[in-house]
Every structure is written in C-alpha cells, then in structure tokens.
Amino acid sequence: MSQQDERTVYYISLCEQLYNPKTLQDSVEAQKILEQSFPTFSNSTATNDIATPTETASALRVLLESSPSPYVQTFCFSRLKQLVQDQLTTFSTEAKIQLLSQLASLLAIMTLIGWFEVEKYKDVYKDISQFIQASVDHRIIGLQILSVLVQDMNPPSFTRNSSKYRKAVDQEQRLKEVTLNLIVRCFSYDFSGTSPDESGEDVGTIQVPTTWRPLLTKEDFLSTFFKAYNEFEPSLASKVMDCLVQIASVRIALFNEPYRTQFITSIMQGIRDIILSSHGLDNSDTYNGFCRFLSRFRATVPLNEMQLGEEAIEKLSTITVEVVQAYVSATIESVPVYIEEGLDDPLENEDALIESLNYLGQIAHKKYRDSGMVITQVFDPITVQYQELVNSISVANPEGFREMLEIIETKFAWLIYIMAAFVGNRAAFMTSDNVDKMDSEITTRVLQLIYSNLSKVFGISDQVTMLDVIMRKIVSNMQFWADNELVIRRTLELFNDLNTGYGASKNLRKIETTNLIFQNHIASEIAFFQHEKQRENRTLYFQILCKLLFADDNATERIFYEFMKPFDMRIQALGPLDTIEAFRQEKTRRAIRDIFIDLHGFISSIQSRRHFLFFFDWFYNHHSSLLLHAVEAWSPDPIVNTLLTFYLEYASNKNQRLGFDISSPNGILIFKDASHIICSYNQQLSKQPEPSADQAYDYKYKGISLCFNILSKCLGGKYINFGILWLYQDKAANEAFEATLQLVQSIPLNDLFVRRK
C-alpha cells in the first residue's frame, strides 16, 4: 500500500471515530486532527500538504471518492460548506469554476451511488430544471452542473478536463458553450455499459435508449444543429460539429419509417450544404470533425440508403481531383528537400507507403480520367528532364550530375508507385473503355521510359519476349535470394500478378522459362524451399502454379498427371513406411510435412469440379493412406496441423468444386477419411498428458480447432449423402460425432472463455 493510500485509510478511520466515538475524548481528538489536515484558513492554518483553500477542496474530494462511508461523506460535505462560506471571496474566477465542478462531481457521485437505493435521487434533474429558470447566470451554472453530472455518472472511461472551462465575459457565449458540452456528454454516455475504447476516433454505434426517439425525430431537431453550425463562430462551430458526429453515430435501427428516411435525408442535406459552401472547413478542428462526421455516418447508414444530389456529387468529384493533384504535387516537390536535408525516406517504409497509396488510388477512381491526367501531366515533364540530363552528362561536374540524377530517379520512383496504385485499385468487376484507355496511357509512359534500354540490352521486341525477361528474373530471385523472405514474397506476388487474367496466363504458358518451372518444381530444384522460414511462400508458389496449369481450358488429365510426377517422386523417395516408427523419423516427418504444405497451396487454387476430380483421383487412389497414417503417427504434435490444414482445404466445397454425380461415392469416401482423421487425433490426444499453458494452443487447441472445421466443412458442403452411411450401418458419422464431443469435453471451461478463437 502506498503512503497516500495509508493516509486515506487513516482519515477514513478518523471520520468514523469523529461521528461514532467510544469516548468523548476520541471524538475531540479526531475532530482536531481532521480540521488541521483539511484547513479552511479561518481558524486553521496551512499544513505541509495543503497551502490554499483550493487544495483543501481537492483533498476533500479525493477523500470522498475513496470511501462510501456515511461518516466520510458527512465530514467532507460539512467541511466543504464551511470552506465555501469562509473563503469563496478569496477564490479566483477560475478557482470558483473549478470548485463548482468539484461540488457537481460530489453531487454526481452521491446520485450514482444512491440511484437505486433512494428514489428521491432520481429527481435531481427536476431540481436543476427549477434552478436554471431563475436567471441567465443560474442557467449557465445549472447547465455546467448538468454537464458534470452526466459525465461523472458515466463509467470511468469518460474523464473530465476542468481546464476546458475558460473565462468568458459574454453570457450568451458561455451559455452556448456549456449547452454544446452537455449535449456531447449526453450522447457520449455509455448506455450499453461496455466502456468502449476511446483511443481511436471511431467508437462505433451509439446505443441511445428508445425514449429518445421522439426528440430525435422532431422536424427541427437536425436543422437546429446545422443552423447553429452555420451561424456560430468557428470555436463553437467545431463543438456543433462534435454534436453532429455523435448524432450521426446513433443506431439507425432506432428509427421506423418514415422517420428513418427523414433522418438520413436531413443529414445528407446538411452534408451536401457543407460540401457546397465549404463553410467552416478552413478551421482545422472543424475540418477534422467533419471528416469524423462523414466516417461515422458512413459506418452507421447503409450505402444504398444514401442519396446525394447531382450538385454535391459534382463538388465531390472536383474535390477528388484536387486531392489527387495536391498529393502528387506536394510529394514530388518534397523530394529535393528530404534528399538535401537527409530526412527519412518514405519510400523505405513500403508497407506504410502502399497502404496510403491504396487509399489515394481508391480516391482517384472516383474521377479516374481527370485524376489520371494529373499524374501524366506531372510525369511527362520529368521524363523530358531525365532525357536532357542523360544526354548532357557533364564530366566536369560528376557530383552535380549524380545529385540531379538521384532527385529525378526518386521522383520517378514516387510516380511509378502512384501509377501502380491507380491501376491496381481498379475493381475486378469494372469494365469500361475509358478506364482501359487511362490504364493504358499510364502504363505506356512507364514502359516507354525503360523500353529503349530494354530493347538495346535484351533485344526485346514484343510482349512475350518482355514476359520471358521478367520470368527469368523471377527464377533468378528464387535461386539467389532464397534466404530473404521479403524478396521471395515480392517476387512471387509479381509472378501472381503476371498470372492474373486469361490472356496473361496464356502468354506465360508460351514462355520457355515457365515450362522449365513446370517440369522442375520439386523441392531440390528450388533454392528457397530449403529455408524453413519460406513455408508461407511455398504455399503461394504452388497456388500460382495451379492457376497457371489450369488456365488453359483444354488442360487434360494427362497434363495434370505429368505435373504431379515430381510429387510422386518425392513420396516414393520416402521409402517403405510400414510402421509407426518409420513415420516418426525426423527426416520423414519433415519431408511429409513439406509435401502437404505444397499440396495445400496447389489445391487451394482449384476452382472447377473437373480439375478437382483430377486431383481427387490422383490423391485418393495413390496417397490418401499416407495422410491417414501420418495423422495417426504424429498426433497431437504441432507438425500434424499441416496435414489437418491440407485436409480442411481438401474437404471444402468452394465454388461447388465437390459437386459429384449423384451416384458417385467420392463424397462418402472424403467423409470416411475425415472421420478417420478426427478419431485418430482424438485417440492420440487422450493418451497424452495435459500440455502446459504455453504449449496448450500448439499441442492441443490448434488441432482441435482444425478437426472441428473439417467436420463443419463436411456437414455444410452438401456433397455427402449421410443417409447412405446409416442405411448401410456405417459407423463413420457416429464415430466422428462422438470423437468431436470428446474433444469438446477435453477443453476446460476456463480455457473456453480465455481462448475465444
């Protein structure tokens, strides 16, 4: 216990001794100590800890908040009353406001504690309502009390900063300010009792009670706030915007028709007027508030219920182009500055850069033609500068040449990133000649910049030759950057992008380098496979190869089996695996794990029923037993999770790829193997001691979760006729359900709550 806590406990005991003494002397001594500790400076003097009446008031409030004891409350209130009577005239205006805030907080604490015990406490607002009718000054003070009352009765996540109460001569100005503060705090009240995290701007939907509906649906409710926003001075307009932010967050389900439509339309009309007039948006606080207003409203109201007028849409379009132009210009103009001053280069943080540029690309597509013209108009002059610089290489000033070259190349880097964001953020379903034309203009400029050199060095004269150069670089990276996870990831992402689209895939299939990859995709041929940290990249690699293999609609079973031969060779190289101990050899474990990592990547890209049948026939007829025996031998070791992950994908009927013929037994065969896997995992898990807390997820819960998901995919896939199992008295389904129930029962109740996943 800290010294402060010890002192508080001591004062609490003194209060009890004062009002419930064993002897009269005990009461006298307690009163003397308490009066000295909390001086009013009339008959008592300052102490070592308290030097002013304001500090006494603060100390009394701390003591009151520390204990619900009626003895503490009685002493604190009586002492505060005496302090105000003796010293109020000596308080500064700021101190008086602070003292009022503290006294209102005391009222809030008592009201909160006694709300359900003393019915009279619920009438506090009636008393304040009468109080504010007396005069304007009474109204200001009363609204301040209400504001503090609402705030301090709320959960601790809402804290008050008393410094926000500033001195104001104009009574009307103060009245507006305290009214707006009260409204914000009322809407900020945590009605659901969830104490949301206020660390971010977006705290979700406000769950106001249904008793507020008549107020919110009044015809002049929203119009009053928008009128106030237009008429109040900037400092108060930003507070009005704070109110609108809260109003826009009100749960839309509160409103029934026609009030729902009226509420949405009124907000949309207000947004439209603000956009068209730009009123108040030159103030940073108001501008940020308006952005939050738009964000909250967008999160609360479905997009299909929003209706903007043509004029507002045109204004938004104009703003879109201006935003793009401002971003591009500012970025390019800042390049010489951070190079000359040695500032951090934003291009080095690629993840953050791509994230922000993706937003820019999305914005640009709202007015894509004009936004594209902005980027090309900046790109073309820099291209001319680059050509002039290259053609006028100065031997006399090599340092100046290098500096200029670095600036121009950095500008090009920025522009190419931005162009990539423009082209890359095109929606997959968007088909438009105008968009295609703009994409081609953007892409052509980049290719023209490098094409002349490529033609001289590599002899490139057509698209396929260009792709071959890129593919050779991809293969080179996979071999010579094998230990660099990021380089391999970016290389494979490029490979995947090249493989996107029917025409691109067909062109890739024509390239000799691609055919060599198809023929030599086994682990020993690919250098990055040898590194343990590249497991996720291996999965992506085989996803790409699968899409490339089946990009040709005429891909035959013979072509498929030819591609799968390296897998057959890898499995045959394991040798005879006729005992459990053979499966548990470390070299064998790693080899089987790697095989199923690769197969998982391959099968996850299969979309059609025909192609899945190719894989099913190959795997079930030749290699399913390998999986079943490995699960039995390894469970519940974490290495088995790789096999379970593969089977989860294998049993997933995405895009109806498992839509077998009605007479086909394939669905039953898949489920029987799934049942065998679940039962094997359950049996082996039950034989093991309970893992420690730090190993529980890897050695138990991860595998259990995968087993549950496998069963879920089988039950929901609609490709298994379970009636056949029971008709022929097959126990696979009953055994799977029983094993699943046993897995559920093996999880302690506390872990169910702690490990929600």
Side-chain angles (χ1 to χ4, degrees):
M1 183 181 295
S2 66
Q3 185 176 1
Q4 178 65 35
D5 292 338
E6 291 178 354
R7 186 179 302 175
T8 300
V9 171
Y10 175 59
Y11 289 147
I12 292 173
S13 65
L14 286 176
C15 290
E16 183 174 358
Q17 182 178 330
L18 173 63
Y19 295 107
N20 188 24
K22 295 181 179 179
T23 64
L24 181 60
Q25 185 62 30
D26 290 342
S27 177
V28 172
E29 291 179 358
Q31 182 175 2
K32 182 178 179 181
I33 297 173
L34 287 170
E35 288 179 350
Q36 290 176 347
S37 301
F38 301 94
T40 61
F41 299 93
S42 55
N43 298 323
S44 51
T45 59
T47 67
N48 292 333
D49 298 323
I50 298 176
T52 66
T54 304
E55 292 179 4
T56 300
S58 299
L60 288 168
R61 182 192 173 191
V62 171
L63 177 60
L64 185 64
E65 292 177 341
S66 302
S67 172
S69 168
Y71 304 122
V72 173
Q73 294 175 3
T74 302
F75 169 74
C76 289
F77 286 134
S78 64
R79 200 63 175 165
L80 277 170
K81 180 180 178 181
Q82 184 177 352
L83 179 67
V84 171
Q85 290 174 340
D86 293 345
Q87 303 295 338
L88 186 61
T89 56
T90 65
F91 282 44
S92 65
T93 303
E94 182 69 24
K96 291 177 181 178
I97 295 175
Q98 184 177 358
L99 181 60
L100 174 65
S101 175
Q102 291 175 339
L103 291 173
S105 293
L106 298 179
L107 175 63
I109 293 169
M110 289 195 63
T111 305
L112 180 62
I113 295 173
W115 187 268
F116 294 104
E117 297 178 359
V118 182
E119 192 67 25
K120 183 68 175 175
Y121 281 17
K122 297 182 180 180
D123 295 334
V124 63
Y125 76 94
K126 295 180 181 179
D127 297 331
I128 298 177
S129 298
Q130 294 179 357
F131 178 82
I132 64 178
Q133 303 302 321
S135 67
V136 174
D137 288 333
H138 284 77
R139 182 169 298 176
I140 293 172
I141 295 172
L143 289 173
Q144 287 179 335
I145 294 173
L146 273 176
S147 180
V148 175
L149 190 66
V150 170
Q151 175 182 273
D152 283 13
M153 285 185 66
N154 207 17
S157 59
F158 297 94
T159 58
R160 186 180 79 259
N161 184 354
S162 59
S163 64
K164 290 183 179 178
Y165 292 100
R166 59 183 180 82
K167 181 178 180 180
V169 178
D170 185 1
Q171 290 182 330
E172 183 179 356
Q173 184 83 355
R174 291 182 60 198
L175 181 59
K176 293 175 181 177
E177 183 175 358
V178 295
T179 302
L180 292 170
N181 286 336
L182 174 60
I183 293 171
V184 170
R185 288 176 179 173
C186 287
F187 276 101
S188 300
Y189 191 88
D190 182 16
F191 294 98
S192 58
T194 56
S195 295
D197 179 14
E198 283 280 6
S199 60
E201 289 292 340
D202 299 319
V203 295
T205 303
I206 295 178
Q207 302 292 335
V208 299
T210 55
T211 53
W212 286 30
R213 185 186 292 132
L215 172 65
L216 297 176
T217 54
K218 280 187 176 180
E219 186 176 350
D220 60 347
F221 177 74
L222 280 168
S223 60
T224 300
F225 284 94
F226 284 113
K227 181 180 179 181
Y229 173 79
N230 289 321
E231 295 180 357
F232 286 5
E233 65 178 60
S235 61
L236 292 178
S238 66
K239 291 182 178 294
V240 176
M241 186 56 69
D242 290 340
C243 295
L244 288 170
V245 169
Q246 301 297 323
I247 294 171
S249 305
V250 172
R251 58 188 176 100
I252 201 65
L254 180 72
F255 304 99
N256 300 320
E257 292 294 355
Y259 301 112
R260 180 189 183 102
T261 301
Q262 292 173 2
F263 181 80
I264 296 173
T265 303
S266 296
I267 292 185
M268 293 299 297
Q269 181 65 36
I271 292 173
R272 173 188 175 279
D273 293 342
I274 293 173
I275 292 174
L276 293 177
S277 66
S278 298
H279 175 74
L281 298 183
D282 54 345
N283 179 278
S284 60
D285 290 338
T286 307
Y287 181 83
N288 292 331
F290 184 62
C291 293
R292 290 169 54 227
F293 179 37
L294 293 175
S295 176
R296 295 282 188 90
F297 183 59
R298 171 65 185 89
T300 306
V301 180
L303 189 60
N304 61 351
E305 296 189 28
M306 297 185 187
Q307 296 180 356
L308 275 173
E310 293 183 4
E311 189 178 2
I313 292 175
E314 182 61 31
K315 182 71 173 180
L316 281 174
S317 299
T318 303
I319 293 174
T320 293
V321 179
E322 291 174 353
V323 168
V324 172
Q325 188 169 25
Y327 183 90
V328 174
S329 300
T331 300
I332 298 304
E333 292 170 3
S334 67
V335 168
V337 176
Y338 67 73
I339 288 180
E340 293 171 4
E341 298 183 6
L343 303 177
D344 291 340
D345 187 357
L347 292 172
E348 294 180 356
N349 188 352
E350 191 175 51
D351 291 337
L353 176 66
I354 292 175
E355 181 180 2
S356 61
L357 290 181
N358 280 339
Y359 289 128
L360 182 67
Q362 294 169 17
I363 292 171
H365 272 278
K366 305 303 179 185
K367 194 76 171 176
Y368 193 48
R369 179 68 187 174
D370 293 341
S371 299
M373 291 300 295
V374 168
I375 194 73
T376 56
Q377 289 169 3
V378 175
F379 189 91
D380 291 344
I382 297 176
T383 302
V384 174
Q385 293 177 19
Y386 176 71
Q387 296 294 344
E388 292 175 350
L389 180 66
V390 171
N391 294 332
S392 60
I393 299 177
S394 174
V395 179
N397 187 17
E399 187 64 30
F401 172 78
R402 283 194 295 268
E403 291 177 358
M404 285 300 301
L405 184 62
E406 181 184 6
I407 291 174
I408 291 178
E409 288 181 342
T410 305
K411 290 180 178 180
F412 273 138
W414 269 107
L415 290 171
I416 292 171
Y417 267 115
I418 295 171
M419 288 173 161
F422 278 25
V423 176
N425 276 279
R426 174 178 178 172
F429 56 83
M430 182 181 292
T431 56
S432 167
D433 291 340
N434 291 332
V435 175
D436 288 342
K437 184 177 180 181
M438 194 69 250
D439 281 350
S440 66
E441 290 182 14
I442 290 174
T443 307
T444 299
R445 280 169 168 78
V446 178
L447 293 177
Q448 285 177 341
L449 182 65
I450 62 175
Y451 195 83
S452 58
N453 287 333
L454 286 173
S455 180
K456 293 176 183 178
V457 177
F458 298 104
I460 294 175
S461 58
D462 55 51
Q463 179 180 353
V464 174
T465 309
M466 179 76 177
L467 280 174
D468 190 46
V469 172
I470 297 174
M471 283 304 303
R472 276 186 275 161
K473 177 57 177 174
I474 288 173
V475 172
S476 174
N477 283 359
M478 291 192 296
Q479 297 299 109
F480 297 105
W481 292 88
D483 62 340
N484 191 308
E485 188 177 1
L486 180 60
V487 171
I488 296 297
R489 188 71 181 181
R490 294 285 187 263
T491 299
L492 292 176
E493 288 173 350
L494 172 60
F495 191 5
N496 190 41
D497 290 341
L498 292 175
N499 190 31
T500 301
Y502 179 73
S505 299
K506 289 187 67 176
N507 287 327
L508 279 178
R509 291 294 301 272
K510 299 176 183 177
I511 297 172
E512 182 182 356
T513 307
T514 307
N515 292 325
L516 288 174
I517 292 177
F518 266 41
Q519 297 167 12
N520 302 279
H521 60 72
I522 59 176
S524 60
E525 300 293 335
I526 308 297
F528 80 87
F529 279 19
Q530 312 306 319
H531 296 268
E532 190 73 15
K533 61 184 177 182
Q534 302 284 13
R535 291 169 61 184
E536 290 187 7
N537 286 335
R538 292 176 65 145
T539 300
L540 176 58
Y541 174 72
F542 278 99
Q543 287 175 355
I544 298 168
L545 293 188
C546 177
K547 289 192 292 185
L548 197 55
L549 176 67
F550 293 129
D552 186 354
D553 293 335
N554 298 319
T556 63
E557 191 171 10
R558 183 188 62 79
I559 294 175
F560 169 77
Y561 273 89
E562 190 68 27
F563 179 85
M564 301 306 291
K565 276 185 179 179
F567 283 103
D568 293 326
M569 295 169 58
R570 291 167 65 181
I571 294 173
Q572 290 170 7
L574 297 174
L577 299 173
D578 47 9
T579 64
I580 294 295
E581 288 70 24
F583 276 91
R584 290 176 178 171
Q585 297 295 323
E586 184 59 28
K587 184 178 179 181
T588 302
R589 280 160 47 99
R590 290 172 61 91
I592 295 177
R593 180 204 64 183
D594 291 346
I595 288 170
F596 282 98
I597 287 175
D598 300 342
L599 288 176
H600 171 242
F602 182 84
I603 194 176
S604 63
S605 289
I606 295 179
Q607 302 294 324
S608 73
R609 173 188 171 190
R610 175 171 172 265
H611 297 153
F612 184 85
L613 279 173
F614 288 168
F615 186 87
F616 174 83
D617 290 339
W618 172 83
F619 176 74
Y620 185 82
N621 293 328
H622 303 288
H623 305 301
S624 61
S625 60
L626 175 70
L627 174 68
L628 300 180
H629 291 314
V631 171
E632 183 179 355
W634 298 350
S635 298
D637 191 284
I639 198 170
V640 82
N641 294 337
T642 300
L643 309 186
L644 298 178
T645 301
F646 161 79
Y647 206 86
L648 175 61
E649 181 64 38
Y650 178 66
S652 298
N653 189 21
K654 58 186 182 184
N655 295 319
Q656 300 301 309
R657 65 183 186 181
L658 275 67
F660 304 117
D661 293 336
I662 191 170
S663 60
S664 171
N666 294 348
I668 298 294
L669 296 176
I670 290 176
F671 179 75
K672 286 176 67 68
D673 281 354
S675 175
H676 184 96
I677 289 171
I678 296 170
C679 292
S680 293
Y681 188 88
N682 176 55
Q683 290 170 5
Q684 298 303 320
L685 180 65
S686 63
K687 297 176 183 178
Q688 304 297 322
E690 191 69 20
S692 60
D694 59 332
Q695 293 183 327
Y697 180 76
D698 291 333
Y699 280 83
K700 183 176 181 180
Y701 297 128
K702 176 66 173 178
I704 289 178
S705 175
L706 288 168
C707 287
F708 289 170
N709 287 333
I710 290 172
L711 182 60
S712 174
K713 294 296 182 183
C714 291
L715 294 176
K718 298 181 180 179
Y719 61 89
I720 303 169
N721 188 346
F722 289 98
I724 297 295
L725 294 172
W726 287 300
L727 178 63
Y728 289 96
Q729 299 182 357
D730 191 306
K731 297 181 179 180
N734 292 337
E735 290 173 351
F737 297 150
E738 184 178 350
T740 301
L741 181 59
Q742 291 175 4
L743 289 173
V744 172
Q745 292 174 333
S746 72
I747 305 174
L749 187 60
N750 289 337
D751 283 5
L752 283 176
F753 290 107
V754 172
R755 304 176 185 274
R756 297 182 181 275
K757 183 177 178 181

